[in-house]
């Protein structure tokens, strides 16, 4: 989730070995997505409170996901969907919430009502404000199950906590959910009876959240929306893709949008299914390999890149970054604002550069010549990195459920 308090957390399942196979390219309609401000102040200095809250929530999300994984799967190995031929694609434009939250529209119920949701590959559940939700749901569009002829009460509650102690809770239902013209029936979702202050409209402009990771990290232990679309024959392919950039951002459902990238995809297999967890070949700076063989989670619900503290310390030692423990906080580093290093990540044998514009989060304080770097060293509950928008804003990313792999390509 991406907002001042950050994203919902869930866990991670087990790997299904398969040689990466590129998904077919199809033509479809994009879902525009947008993003809002949150990590910077009006003068472009870093909002340190928001930054630290986002990191805490992202770490808590991952930890909760690991708990859900154990609860939902035990020692079993979840199966991967087969890549059977499906019927359609669709795309949804995204609204840019200024490096904290990517959101677009879905419709729910019969008759259908439209809602905005944060599309989060670091969690697996869909929730919206319910009819009994309190003041923090004001100005959000409310989902009322009693007004939908296709809703059914599951008789189950849910509660999702965030890293700052706040969260969301409510009741579970099934209903019809549509995205970019593709429709999932009997889809499990939550109708919230309580939103924390971090989900109030001033902090979180989307109405709710739609998780796009795997079922094994679901707080409901329910099939996520995209997998329902695939299993019900709604998609051309079991693939969805994101462009997260300053302009023209979108979520593409049922394939990839060839107009938004150039060249070929570089694929890397999912190593543990739950989160979109893959192996990063290496981290390079100024043409030199600094780190290699890094377990990582590809998370559209995280703004930052959050790494194992010892790895991150080694990265900054090699690149000349300055420890900012005394000015920003433990695990943060800075560079002179006008001299960020050249940094790239390699996945599937292909190196992808991270622009200074996305790596540079802003000045430490008003008038400072030092700027905060978007690679942060924090323990996330296991020995993996969380790869968020600081990297993803530089690439076109395909999430291939059918072949259990993630692909990256150069933005057009």
């Amino acid at each position: 989730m991406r907002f001042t308090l950050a994203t919902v957390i869930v866990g991670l399942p087990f790997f299904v070995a398969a040689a990466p196979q590129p998904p077919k390219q199809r033509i479809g309609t994009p879902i525009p997505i947008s993003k809002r401000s949150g990590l910077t102040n009006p003068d472009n200095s870093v909002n340190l409170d928001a930054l630290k809250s986002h990191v805490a929530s992202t770490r808590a999300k991952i930890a909760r996901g690991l708990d859900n994984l154990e609860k939902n799967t035990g020692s079993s190995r979840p199966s991967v969907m087969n890549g059977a031929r499906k019927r359609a694609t669709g795309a949804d434009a995204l609204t840019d919430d200024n490096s904290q939250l990517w959101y677009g529209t879905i419709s729910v119920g019969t008759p259908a009502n439209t809602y905005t949701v944060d599309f989060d590959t670091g969690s697996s559940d869909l929730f919206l404000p319910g009819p009994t939700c309190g003041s923090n749901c004001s100005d959000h569009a409310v989902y009322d199950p009693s007004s939908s002829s296709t809703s059914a009460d599951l008789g189950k509650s849910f509660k999702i906590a965030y890293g700052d102690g706040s969260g969301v809770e409510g009741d579970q239902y099934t209903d019809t959910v549509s995205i970019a013209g593709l429709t999932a029936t009997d889809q499990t979702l939550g109708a919230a009876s309580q939103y924390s202050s971090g989900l109030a409209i001033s902090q979180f402009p989307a109405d709710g959240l739609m998780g796009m990771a795997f079922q094994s990290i679901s707080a409901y232990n329910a099939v996520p929306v995209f997998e329902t679309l695939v299993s019900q024959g709604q998609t051309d392919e079991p693939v969805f893709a994101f462009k997260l950039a300053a302009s023209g951002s979108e979520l593409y459902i049922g394939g990839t949008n060839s107009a938004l990238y150039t060249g070929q995809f570089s694929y890397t297999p999912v190593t543990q299914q739950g989160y979109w967890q893959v192996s990063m070949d290496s981290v390079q700076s100024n043409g030199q390999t600094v780190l290699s063989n890094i377990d990582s989670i590809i998370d559209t619900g995280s703004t930052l890149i959050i790494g194992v503290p010892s790895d991150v310390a080694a990265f900054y030692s090699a690149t000349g970054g300055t420890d900012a423990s005394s000015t920003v906080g433990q695990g943060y580093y800075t560079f002179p604002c006008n001299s960020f290093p050249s940094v790239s990540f390699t996945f599937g044998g292909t190196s992808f550069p991270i622009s200074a514009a996305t790596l540079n989060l802003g000045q430490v304080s008003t008038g400072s010549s030092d700027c905060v770097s978007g690679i942060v060293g924090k323990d996330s509950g296991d020995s993996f990195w969380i790869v968020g928008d600081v990297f993803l804003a530089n690439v076109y990313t395909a999430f291939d459920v059918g072949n259990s792999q993630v692909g990256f390509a150069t933005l057009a």
Side-chain angles (χ1 to χ4, degrees):
M1 195 180 255
R2 186 182 260 100
F3 46 99
T4 309
L5 69 84
T7 69
V8 183
I9 275 170
V10 206
L12 84 159
F14 288 77
F15 161 67
V16 178
Q21 298 295 323
K24 302 171 186 176
Q25 309 307 310
R26 303 279 186 174
I27 298 174
T29 335
I31 304 168
I33 51 179
S34 303
K35 201 174 192 178
R36 81 130 160 69
S37 179
L39 292 185
T40 55
N41 297 311
D43 63 1
N44 290 322
S45 63
V46 172
N47 182 328
L48 297 183
D49 289 339
L51 179 66
K52 293 173 183 178
S53 179
H54 179 74
V55 171
S57 295
T58 300
R59 293 167 67 203
K61 177 172 83 170
I62 300 304
R64 185 171 70 246
L66 295 174
D67 290 342
N68 286 344
L69 174 68
E70 182 177 359
K71 178 181 69 176
N72 292 341
T73 69
S75 60
S76 63
R77 299 169 65 91
S79 61
V80 173
M81 285 181 188
N82 62 36
R85 184 177 180 277
K86 304 300 179 182
R87 290 190 285 122
T89 59
D92 197 347
L94 301 181
T95 301
D96 178 356
D97 204 24
N98 196 22
S99 305
Q100 268 203 287
L101 167 68
W102 295 101
Y103 62 96
T105 60
I106 64 172
S107 62
V108 180
T110 306
N113 290 304
T114 300
Y115 305 89
T116 56
V117 292
D118 172 15
F119 296 112
D120 179 20
T121 62
S123 65
S124 299
D125 298 306
L126 169 61
F127 66 79
L128 296 167
T132 63
C133 198
S135 59
N136 287 326
C137 287
S138 296
D139 298 319
H140 286 305
V142 171
Y143 165 64
D144 185 356
S146 67
S147 298
S148 172
S149 64
T150 47
S151 73
D153 190 341
L154 292 177
K156 299 177 182 178
S157 61
F158 74 95
K159 185 173 184 179
I160 301 172
Y162 297 96
D164 60 358
S166 57
V168 58
E169 59 184 84
D171 298 304
Q172 296 180 43
Y173 293 82
T174 60
D175 209 336
T176 298
V177 176
S178 296
I179 177 170
L182 311 179
T183 299
T185 58
D186 299 317
Q187 175 63 48
T188 300
L189 73 156
S193 57
Q194 181 177 316
Y195 264 14
S196 68
S197 59
L199 290 169
I201 193 73
S202 61
Q203 302 296 317
F204 184 64
D207 299 316
L209 178 138
M210 191 179 106
M212 303 189 76
F214 295 91
Q215 179 178 347
S216 51
I217 63 169
S218 165
Y220 311 153
N221 195 15
V223 178
V225 174
F226 181 73
E227 293 191 21
T228 301
L229 290 173
V230 173
S231 67
Q232 293 180 357
Q234 289 290 298
T235 61
D236 255 352
E237 300 177 78
V239 177
F240 62 89
F242 281 95
K243 176 186 176 181
L244 305 177
S247 62
S249 298
E250 72 168 42
L251 164 64
Y252 196 91
I253 297 290
T256 59
N257 186 344
S258 58
L260 298 183
Y261 64 89
T262 61
Q264 301 298 310
F265 279 95
S266 179
Y267 290 96
T268 183
V270 171
T271 55
Q272 285 191 301
Q273 214 184 73
Y275 294 114
W276 287 93
Q277 185 170 347
V278 300
S279 178
M280 186 196 311
D281 297 341
S282 61
V283 175
Q284 300 89 31
S285 178
N286 297 322
Q288 301 297 313
T289 296
V290 178
L291 299 165
S292 57
N293 299 320
I294 299 169
D295 289 331
S296 58
I297 290 170
I298 311 303
D299 183 8
T300 62
S302 177
T303 297
L304 306 174
I305 298 166
I306 303 174
V308 176
S310 59
D311 287 351
V312 172
F315 167 78
Y316 286 109
S317 177
T319 56
T322 300
D323 187 328
S325 298
S326 61
T327 54
V328 182
Q330 190 68 37
Y332 296 91
Y333 293 80
T334 62
F335 291 105
C337 295
N338 61 359
S339 60
F340 267 62
S342 170
V343 177
S344 60
F345 286 179
T346 298
F347 289 96
T350 302
S351 180
F352 297 95
I354 300 174
S355 70
T358 58
L359 187 60
N360 183 346
L361 300 181
Q363 296 170 306
V364 172
S365 58
T366 303
S368 174
S369 62
D370 292 324
C371 287
V372 180
S373 173
I375 300 176
V376 179
K378 295 288 183 181
D379 182 5
S380 59
D382 209 334
S383 57
F384 46 69
W385 286 37
I386 303 167
V387 178
D389 296 350
V390 166
F391 173 75
L392 297 176
N394 298 275
V395 294
Y396 189 78
T397 308
F399 296 86
D400 184 348
V401 175
N403 291 304
S404 195
Q405 62 184 357
V406 178
F408 300 106
T410 301
L411 289 172

